[in-house]
Structure formats: C-alpha cells, structure tokens
Amino acid sequence: MILSGRSVTAVLGPTNTGKTHFAIDRMVAHGSGMIGLPLRLLAREVYTRVVERVGVKNVALITGEEKITPPNARFSVCTVEALPRETKVAFVAIDEIQLAGDLERGHIFTDRLLHLRGREETLLLGSATMKPILLQLLPGITVVERPRLSQLFYAGQKKITRLPQRTAIVAFSADEVYAIAELIRRQRGGAAVVLGALSPRTRNAQVGLYQEGDVDYLVATDAIGMGLNLDVDHVAFAQDRKFDGYQFRNLNPGELGQIAGRAGRHVKDGTFGVTGRVDPLDDELVERLETHQFDPVKVLQWRTERFDFSSVAALQRSLDATPRVEGLTRALPATDQQSLEYLSRYPEVSDITDRPERVEKLWEACALPDYRRITPAQHADLIQSLYFDLVRRGTVNEDFLAEQVRRADRTDGEIDTLSARIAQIRTWTYVSNRPGWLADPTHWQEKTREIEDRLSDALHERLTKRFVDRRTSVLMKRLRENAMLEAEISVNGDVFVEGHAMGQLSGFRFTPISGGEGPDAKAVQTAAHKALALEFEARAARLHASGNGDFAIGSDGVVRWLGDPIARLIGTDHVLHPRVLLLADEQLTGNARDHVAARVERFVNHHISTVLKPLDDLSRAEDLQGLAKGLAFQLVENLGVLFRRDVADDVKSLDQDGRASMRRYGVRFGAYHIFMPALLKPAPAEMITLLWALKNDGLDKPGYGDLIPVLAAGRTSVVTDANFERTFYKLAGFRFLGKRAVRIDILERLADLIRPLLQWKPGSGSRPDGAYDGRRFTATTAMLSILGATPDDMEEILKGLGYRADSVSPEEAAAHLSAQGGVAAAAVQAEPAEAAGDDSADDADPSSDEPQAEASAAPVEATAEAAMDAGSVASGAAETAEPKPVLLWRPGGRGDTQRSGGRPTGDRRPQGQGRRNEGGEARVEGQRDERRRDGGRNEKPEGGRGKFAGKGDRQDRGNGGDRKDRGPRPDRDSGRPQGGQRFEAKPPRKEKPIDPDSPFAKLAALKDQLKK
C-alpha cells in the first residue's frame, strides 16, 4: 500500500482556531467542493452557512437520514459516513480527523483521509495531535498549525448552583444530563439539553434556546466537542468517565481538551473546571489543557476497503484483514460487522445468500445504523426482515414499513417515549433514503421526515417544559438587556411581569411563585420589586387617605387593610398601647413608609379606645382622687375585672363620694367583683383577650379565642375545659367555678337572688321562694334559669362561691316549712327534676350598680307531686325511688369544720377537711357590705328595713364585729339550726339580783370570809 500526501494540506490546532471557517472559505472559492463533518448536527450548521454564501440551489446536504440534492448543486455538505470513497469535485475537506483513532467510527475517518481527494485541493482539519501520524502515513503532506484565538484558564471546582452564566455542563449519560438540567431549572431558571440521541432538529432547537439567551446554561454530552459553534464562556465537567461502546473509561487529556476548548469564542477567553462529584484536576493535567499539549495519536483505526463478496465466509475473512502499513491497526468489529456475524449463523440467511450480489446486498443491509440502541441480536433480526424483502421482493415490503411508521406517528408521552419514537422513525428515514430499497422512496422520505420533525418538535417542547422556567428565563434575558420591565397587577393582587405570573402582592409584601433559591431567584425578586416600586408608592398614598372602615384588627393581632395584612401588633408594658410592626418589603421606604406607619398607628389607637371606651375613659380620668384613682388603676391593669376579695380593704376604705365618682365611669361594685358591665360584650371581650395575649405571649395558648363565640351566643355559663388557659375565662367575662364558668354579671344577679333569701326572717312576712329559716336557702328555678345550669352544676357553682350545704330529708324540710305556715311542701326540693338549660337571656347585663331582686319564677318542682302537702312529703319515703335529701345552702365560714359535733350535717367531705372556694378562702365572697351596700348611710339592703342606717362604718370592722361578715343572724324562735351554725354577737344582758337563799350565794359569802 503506497500512500501520498501531495496536494493535501493538514490544518491542525486546538479548538477555536477558525479551521472550519477557513475550510468553508476555501471550498466556495472553487467551482465545486465537498466537506465531511463528524455530526449530522454540525453538517446542518455548515450547510446553513454555505447556503448563506452561495445560495440554496448550489448546496446539497447528504447524511444517512437526510438528502437535500438540488439538480445543479456545486457544493455538498455531508457526514463523514456519507462521503463517497472517490469524487471528481475540485475541493475536499474532512473535519475532526482526530476521530480516526476512535474505536467505534475511526475506521471510516481513516479510510476517507487516506483515499478521498479533491482534484485541486484537499484539506484535513483536526487536532495537532494528528501531525506525527499524518507525516508518517502521507509523505509530502503540508501541515499548517493554527494557534488558538483566545486563552483557556482553569477555574477549579464549583457547585452546580454556583456556576457562572453562559456555562456548558458536560456529562456522559442521559440520566445524569436530565438530573443536572432539573437542578438548574429549580435553582437558576432553566437549561438547554443536547444529547447525541436527540434528533438534529431537536438539538438545533435546544441549542437555539441557549444561543438566543433564553437560558444561560447548556447541559450536554461530549457532542458539543465536535465543532459546534456555541457562545460558551465556561465548561464544567460533571463526569469524567464515559462508555465508549465497549467499556467505561476515563477521558484522556486530548478528549478533555477537545471539550474544554469549547469555552471562549474568537478572541474572548474561556474557562473550564469541574463540578458535582468530579475531583479537582491535578496541576499537570491543568497545564496540559491550558497549553494544549496532548499525546500524539500513534495509530489509526483501519478496516479494509476491499470486500470479498464471493460468499459470506469470504466477506468475513476480508473484514478480518490486517493493515500492512505501520501506524494503522485493525478496528474492532463495528455494528455492521456484528450484525453480519449474527446473521451468518442463521441457516435461512446462509441458504438464500448464495450469490455474490446477494452477499453484497446483505452487507449493504448490515450498514443500517442502530438508532434504537437495542441488542445486536434484535438489530440483526430487523436487518434480516429487510434483507429477505430486498432479495425476494426487490424492495422492502411497504405494508410492513407503513405499520412501523404508523406506530411511531404519535406525539403523546414524555421525553423517553418521544426519544424512542424518534429513534424508530430515524431507522425508517434511513431506509427510505437508501437507493433501490423502496418502490416509492420519495413518498416515504417525505412521510418519515414529516413525522420525525413533528416528534422532534414535541420532544423539544417537553424538554423545554421540564427543564426551562420560561418566566425566569425571559426575565433574565430582559435584565441582561437592561430593559424596563412591564408589570401588571390584577385586582386580586396577582403580579405579572412581562406577561408571566411572578407572584402575589398582598398589602406591601410580594411573594414570588418560585420557591427556589440562589442568585437567579433573588434576581427574579429584585426585578419584580423594581417593577413594583411605583405600585408601592401608590398603595401607600391610598392607605394614608383611607378611612377607619378600611382597616381591621384580627384575632391573630394582624392589622389588615382592605383584607391584606399590613402590620402586626406587638405587646408592650402598657397593655392598652401595643406596638405596631409593619409587614412590608424593603422597597417601601422613605416618606411612603412613614405615612403608612403613622396611619396604621392612628387607626390602632382609635380602634382600641373606641372598642374599650369605658376602660380608656377610666384610664384617662382626672377627677378621681386618692383610693378611687388607685382602684381605677388596678381595674385598668386587670382589663376591667377585679375580684372583690383582692381589693376588699380598698373598697372598705373608699368613701361614698369615691364610689360615686367611679360609678360615673361605668364601674359596678358587685358582691363578688368590681367590674365594668359595658366590657362584657363580644367586641370588647375579644379586644381585651387579644391585648392580654399580646403582652403575655398567649396567642398560641390553648383556649385563645374559643370563649368569644360563647359570649356572642348569649350563653351565661359554659362547661370548662381543663386544657384552656384559665385567664381566658376571666378576660371573656366569665368566672371559673370548677366544672363550669359563669358570666360575671350573672353571678351578681345570682347574689341579688340569694340576698333576700338570707335576709328573710320567719314571721316577718311571706316567705320568698327558696328561703328556709333566714340562715339557709334552697336553689330555685330562677337561679338555674339565669345560670343556664343543671342542679349538679348549681351545686358546683355555689360551692365555688363559698357557700356550704346542709342536707336534710324531704320529710324534715316539709315539716319545718309547714310549721312556719309557709307554702306547700311542694316548694321543697331535694334535687330539681329539670334543669333550666343553657338558653339564658341575652339581656342579663345590669345597668345599675344596685342589685335588682329577681322575681321568683314558678316553684321548683320537687321529687314529690306539686300538689302534695307536708304529710304527702312524709309519706314519700314509701315510694319505690328513695327521694334525694334537700340541700340547704348557707354562707361558709372558717369554723365550719371546727364546730362541736364534727363536720356539719350534709357536708360530704371527710371530717376536718373544710371547703374552700377557688381562691382558697373559706368564706363567702362579698358578704361584707352585702346588707349595707357600699357603706352608704342612707342605703338599705334590698327588702330590708334600714335598721343599719346611721350606724356609720360599722360594717368595715373585722369579722368579729361585722354581723354581716359572720353570716345571717339565727332565728332565736326556731332553736339552733341543724349542723354547726355560726354564733352571733349578742347585746349584754341586764344583771339579775342574787337570791340570798341560793347555794351559790352562800358559797360566795364563804369565799369572802376566807379572803378576809
């Protein structure tokens, strides 16, 4: 084999030396020419550039799957596989000749560079590593080395999310490419994808996304190293191992340099580095890549061009021939040779391949590329079907072809499905372009091309939808152009920038739709905020001019303007004056922010002072003096409710003028509480609860806000929840009494009902319903009704208020009442059969400080019939169900458990264990001053006779001297009551004269004598 390099010029150098551009210039300078390129994608790019130079009628494009052949075309752009072995054109160029060393395709490049020549000029373009082998194989060749137009620098290792814009990220598997592209979409807005398995149309569309600036990142395989002209500033290797068709191996320095060299175009410098899980490159390798010093190619892959078609065996032997020239090595079996090996084992193939022309036809069929990437055996089966049709029918069965094409003609499905259909249709596109294989090749060429284009467009759409955030990419492009962004805001606050939904504007806060992080996400927000700057100022002006009706304070402490949150309340030391914290982005600045803050604070102060006007007026009262002022301060600090026992000394010391001055501000002095009835309504209660929660971090405490609906529904009492914060009951106007909480004003009405029952004395007039002996009383329907409670609840409530119960039998109670000549025994109850229920009246708010005696309702139903007399009650013991004892309630005292005889009758606690109210006190709250309300000289208790009028402040003495504090005066005519009653202070008895005949007188006289 004698080879010559005369009239052959090798233009060698690293990437970005302008070799391809030089070859195009040289080709169009000749009358005819042909250029071979390594990729169909690159062939398409060069075809477009040549058409721009000489016109579409003068340029042909020939690849394995595509043929554009104008009748008088002078120039041809081909893939290397499509180049003929001989030609008569004046100019021939072969690009990327270093691929002659590739294990899979190298033998094709080797054959063309050794044998294909132009009549006038032949150019071989490639890496400088080819210089020694070309000088060895082609004596007389002219070698021209071109320097790189820009420099290449190593940038080290970076995270994928921190890679600079205009970066190409290189990986070597589809899964890895997709994973990286998905990550970049989430973090940086999107990426274009370039894979060798994509159709040229899809790859062109993806490269267009990158080149036009719609995305700043390109994720690709090593396909970008094959001469694609891309505007890449940085190349990052996410993998450094690849499968070369035979094994997984590390990329050699030459391959790394070929890919890294894509960074930097023309005179613009570029950088390269690693990312992901790739270790940083060592210094020696970095220096070689930066200076383009790579090991020379020592051998080229070779396969014979002299095929023996006499038989299949002879053809196989010719393919196994070894080169006789030093520098060439026999190539490993390619796909076509592997398919021939499989088919030669099939007896039916061997039988039919009995002539040289059929052996040649079999070899031609084996050249079908394996676009589907299936196993060699499966690919061989498809070739067998085509070969049998060609031998037996002369052409491929078009019915079979039509069925295969029909299956691929669907654009539904995801990326992998569409990629598989494109690979299938590319197979039939190749078949339609083989000369002599089809009866109507033109129809099928157009049909398969149309389907491939449609599938390619669908695949591009899916790739873009999955890996490109259109909203972010368009915005980034406009930002790079420093263009003014157009923003729109819908009536519901949706923000559109450049027609893309960017997020939601609520008040003065913008929330972007994308939840990603990183520089691009921040740029998105910056762009949106920049476009919204004018809107923020306009909103601030509208808010400043808004009326109070446009604002509202929610139970969460958030101030809303027209429904949008604009501020949050923060608790301070002064409970009625919380601090206002604006909820606004940093873009609300300057005077606009000051105006918003001032308007919101003005509304908050006005709203609190309006809803809590009685409390606000009391806090600002200037006419209160001394103890009244101090008591008012405590009432404000406690948000309108004080337990009377906690300020008993202050109340006792407060004179009538001080009480009257506080009443003018709506303060009521009740038996159990000092409170402001106007605050026991839903709106004030809700505001009071919120203010307390803000100061005490109570917004998240259990029970917050749950009692306001109960108050709004008019409920006078409610079953308590052990998990609730107990303070919330007080803030909502309820008194916590064990298992039930009762509204404060209702408890005062209960006190008004109990008071006349304890003040009534036997023989002083008609006995009120519920009165018993002047010291004790029974629960009535009226009490149950206003409380909305059952008899069991009533017992808990009275015990919580400090009352104690004596139990007597129904017979004893009936006999007692009969002896007093009172109402029928039916008025006695053991346990009422029916409860009043929880449907209390809404108008339970007393407007006066003086207690109003509630009119007694119908007598409480007893266990016995209502018409029974006292004797009927006594006979009730014979009934099947034993009647329950009657509970007689009396004010409790500290000595209840220390009376003679142990614990009182009816007290169900163990002996020695006293009952105490929720405050831990064993006395009835507010019993001081009950008979002489507020210490007034001319006041008298409801139903009383004014017997204490003019007695001064006697009621303010200690327990020993205050008849009221020591409980009701016992009835001297009826004897001692059951149980341990409290003894009353009695006036001194007059001394009687001593009987001189009595033994005591004589004993006294004897003592006197002894003393003398």
Side-chain angles (χ1 to χ4, degrees), residues 474-486 498 527 530:
V474 170
L475 184 59
M476 292 298 99
K477 184 176 181 181
R478 295 298 302 275
L479 285 175
R480 287 193 300 271
E481 297 171 355
N482 291 324
M484 183 62 187
L485 301 174
E486 298 181 2
E498 294 294 323
K530 181 179 178 182

Side-chain angles (χ1 to χ4, degrees), residues 32 157 234-235 262 314 330 355 397 452 547 711 723 731 922:
S32 62
Q157 185 180 44
H234 180 77
V235 171
R262 293 297 105 190
R330 182 168 66 87
R355 295 189 291 274
N397 185 350
E452 182 180 342
L711 185 64
N723 296 322
L731 297 171

Side-chain angles (χ1 to χ4, degrees), residues 36-38 78-85 94-117 124 300-305 307 328-332 334-337 363 367 369 430:
L37 299 156
C78 314
T79 55
V80 173
E81 285 82 355
L83 284 174
R85 298 191 74 250
I94 305 173
D95 198 7
E96 304 294 351
I97 59 171
Q98 70 272 6
L99 288 178
D102 183 72
L103 296 178
E104 188 175 0
R105 304 173 60 199
H107 64 91
I108 299 174
F109 281 82
T110 300
D111 180 73
R112 301 303 187 269
L113 72 87
L114 292 180
H115 301 102
L116 184 61
R117 299 288 183 267
L124 303 179
L300 304 183
Q301 301 296 316
W302 176 89
R303 189 171 71 180
T304 183
E305 75 284 0
F307 302 111
L328 302 178
T329 183
R330 182 168 66 87
L332 296 174
T335 303
D336 52 1
Q337 189 173 351
W363 180 240
Y430 180 90

Side-chain angles (χ1 to χ4, degrees), residues 24-261:
I24 294 174
D25 287 343
R26 295 301 304 155
M27 183 174 70
V28 298
H30 291 272
S32 62
M34 180 180 295
I35 183 170
L37 299 156
L39 297 174
R40 180 181 172 187
L41 180 61
L42 184 57
R44 259 288 180 179
E45 179 184 337
V46 173
Y47 168 77
T48 302
R49 293 169 61 182
V50 176
V51 166
E52 292 174 354
R53 301 280 294 272
V54 299
V56 68
K57 295 182 179 180
N58 294 314
V59 186
L61 174 65
I62 304 173
T63 69
E65 308 158 48
E66 186 176 17
K67 284 185 173 61
I68 302 175
T69 55
N72 299 317
R74 297 185 294 121
F75 305 102
S76 297
V77 180
C78 314
T79 55
V80 173
E81 285 82 355
L83 284 174
R85 298 191 74 250
E86 296 180 357
T87 184
K88 295 181 179 180
V89 297
F91 174 86
V92 168
I94 305 173
D95 198 7
E96 304 294 351
I97 59 171
Q98 70 272 6
L99 288 178
D102 183 72
L103 296 178
E104 188 175 0
R105 304 173 60 199
H107 64 91
I108 299 174
F109 281 82
T110 300
D111 180 73
R112 301 303 187 269
L113 72 87
L114 292 180
H115 301 102
L116 184 61
R117 299 288 183 267
R119 287 185 294 106
E120 299 175 4
E121 184 177 3
T122 301
L123 287 182
L124 303 179
L125 314 174
S127 171
T129 58
M130 291 291 290
K131 179 178 179 180
I133 194 68
L134 290 178
L135 292 175
Q136 176 184 343
L137 293 175
L138 300 175
I141 189 173
T142 301
V143 176
V144 177
E145 296 190 65
R146 296 173 65 95
R148 182 178 168 90
L149 299 178
S150 62
Q151 292 184 330
L152 192 64
F153 300 100
Y154 178 59
Q157 185 180 44
K158 297 182 185 212
K159 292 182 179 180
I160 291 179
T161 55
R162 296 186 179 275
L163 291 173
Q165 296 178 347
R166 312 310 294 171
T167 291
I169 305 171
V170 181
F172 299 101
S173 69
D175 290 342
E176 188 70 13
V177 168
Y178 291 157
I180 294 172
E182 179 69 24
L183 176 62
I184 292 177
R185 184 196 68 82
R186 293 197 306 267
Q187 300 288 342
R188 311 301 293 270
V193 173
V194 174
L195 297 169
L198 299 180
S199 67
R201 185 182 181 93
T202 303
R203 280 184 284 180
N204 281 339
Q206 288 291 302
V207 169
L209 279 177
Y210 177 81
Q211 290 293 92
E212 293 168 9
D214 290 337
V215 295
D216 283 327
Y217 298 91
L218 178 72
V219 186
T221 60
D222 53 350
I224 65 167
M226 298 301 167
L228 292 181
N229 294 311
L230 301 173
D231 184 17
V232 175
D233 294 339
H234 180 77
V235 171
F237 291 92
Q239 287 183 317
D240 57 358
R241 289 175 60 83
K242 65 175 288 188
F243 183 73
D244 60 6
Y246 299 94
Q247 62 181 348
F248 282 99
R249 62 175 179 83
N250 292 329
L251 272 70
N252 60 53
E255 292 170 326
L256 290 172
Q258 184 72 23
I259 299 172

Side-chain angles (χ1 to χ4, degrees), residues 464-477:
T464 303
K465 182 177 180 180
R466 178 173 174 182
F467 300 125
V468 177
D469 185 341
R470 276 292 189 181
R471 179 183 65 255
T472 305
S473 63
V474 170
L475 184 59
M476 292 298 99
K477 184 176 181 181

Side-chain angles (χ1 to χ4, degrees), residues 847-881:
S847 60
S848 171
D849 181 46
E850 296 300 326
Q852 302 295 322
E854 184 76 8
S856 178
V860 180
E861 294 181 6
T863 308
E865 294 292 329
M868 290 176 60
D869 54 15
S872 300
V873 175
S875 64
E879 295 292 333
T880 304

